[in-house]
Amino acid sequence: MGLDIVLKDIQSGAQAEVSRIKAEADAKVSEILNEARDGQKKMLGDRLAQSEEDLKNLHQQVVSSANLEVKRIKLNKRKELLDQVYNQTYESIKSMPASKAENLLSVLIKKHEADGVRIYSDKNSEAIVKKLSSLSFAGNIDDSIGGIVLENEDGTVRLDYTYDTILNTIYERSLKQLSDILYG
């Protein structure tokens, strides 16, 4: 019987040790699982925050891109309109009535005659220019829709007041304004 008691004591001590080890193992497993869950939650939260940031950046990029495209389309339409106005103005000047051509030439000559000693004009305006100007008529301007060119005594300075040049200057200035709007 003494052996049975010793055996029971050993078994009971072993059982208690097994229960203690099992309880420690369960606690450790629980701790590891909790840490893993916390880590997973943090990682998921970090990924969610990064995804939201990426989405926000992408949205901003799409909006900026769309705004730039709208601006480009508007400016292209403005340029098309400017080109149409240029062409219509060119044709209008080219085909204006003689009385209006004479009035415009009169204004140009009165305003700028003092700047030169010789005057040039297109072939169609030659008679009008000779009539309106006291300057020496020096010849015709080829490929011009009208206007005058003034020249100084030694021919080193020419002032171009042809309608072509005036129209091109206004057109280029308008294009520069469009470019400034587009590219800041």
Side-chain angles (χ1 to χ4, degrees):
M1 250 277 215
L3 200 51
D4 280 337
I5 293 178
V6 171
L7 187 59
K8 263 194 173 197
D9 265 352
I10 292 174
Q11 281 179 339
S12 149
Q15 189 69 24
E17 186 66 21
V18 166
S19 291
R20 185 189 60 78
I21 291 173
K22 187 176 177 193
E24 283 178 12
D26 287 345
K28 190 66 174 170
V29 164
S30 223
E31 182 182 334
I32 291 171
L33 285 175
N34 286 337
E35 285 176 7
R37 283 186 195 110
D38 290 346
Q40 186 180 21
K41 283 179 186 175
K42 183 183 180 325
M43 193 170 22
L44 184 60
D46 290 347
R47 282 187 181 168
L48 183 60
Q50 183 62 45
S51 294
E52 286 174 354
E53 183 67 25
D54 290 347
L55 184 60
K56 180 181 169 188
N57 290 340
L58 181 61
H59 179 264
Q60 183 61 38
Q61 189 177 23
V62 167
V63 167
S64 294
S65 224
N67 285 338
L68 187 60
E69 182 65 16
V70 166
K71 192 175 189 181
R72 188 187 62 75
I73 289 169
K74 282 172 58 176
L75 288 172
N76 282 340
K77 288 297 179 189
R78 285 182 184 170
K79 185 186 179 307
E80 285 176 21
L81 182 61
L82 186 62
D83 289 345
Q84 286 176 350
V85 168
Y86 175 87
N87 292 330
Q88 288 173 351
T89 304
Y90 184 89
E91 289 303 318
S92 176
I93 290 170
K94 196 172 165 182
S95 63
M96 79 174 121
S99 62
K100 190 168 184 174
E102 186 171 343
N103 287 340
L104 286 175
L105 286 169
S106 176
V107 169
L108 280 175
I109 290 169
K110 284 178 186 172
K111 186 172 182 180
H112 301 289
E113 190 171 36
D115 297 335
V117 293
R118 284 187 289 284
I119 191 166
Y120 296 82
S121 74
D122 66 303
K123 182 77 172 149
N124 295 335
S125 304
E126 181 177 344
I128 298 170
V129 169
K130 284 180 178 178
K131 179 178 99 176
L132 296 173
S133 176
S134 61
L135 299 178
S136 169
F137 188 80
N140 296 121
I141 308 163
D142 293 329
D143 298 325
S144 175
I145 59 171
I148 58 172
V149 173
L150 299 172
E151 189 174 66
N152 69 349
E153 183 66 39
D154 60 3
T156 57
V157 177
R158 282 186 141 198
L159 302 173
D160 188 346
Y161 297 109
T162 59
Y163 303 145
D164 311 76
T165 300
I166 294 168
L167 187 57
N168 282 331
T169 300
I170 292 168
Y171 178 77
E172 293 298 323
R173 191 178 315 136
S174 296
L175 281 180
K176 179 168 180 353
Q177 289 172 348
L178 285 178
S179 175
D180 290 346
I181 291 168
L182 181 59
Y183 302 110

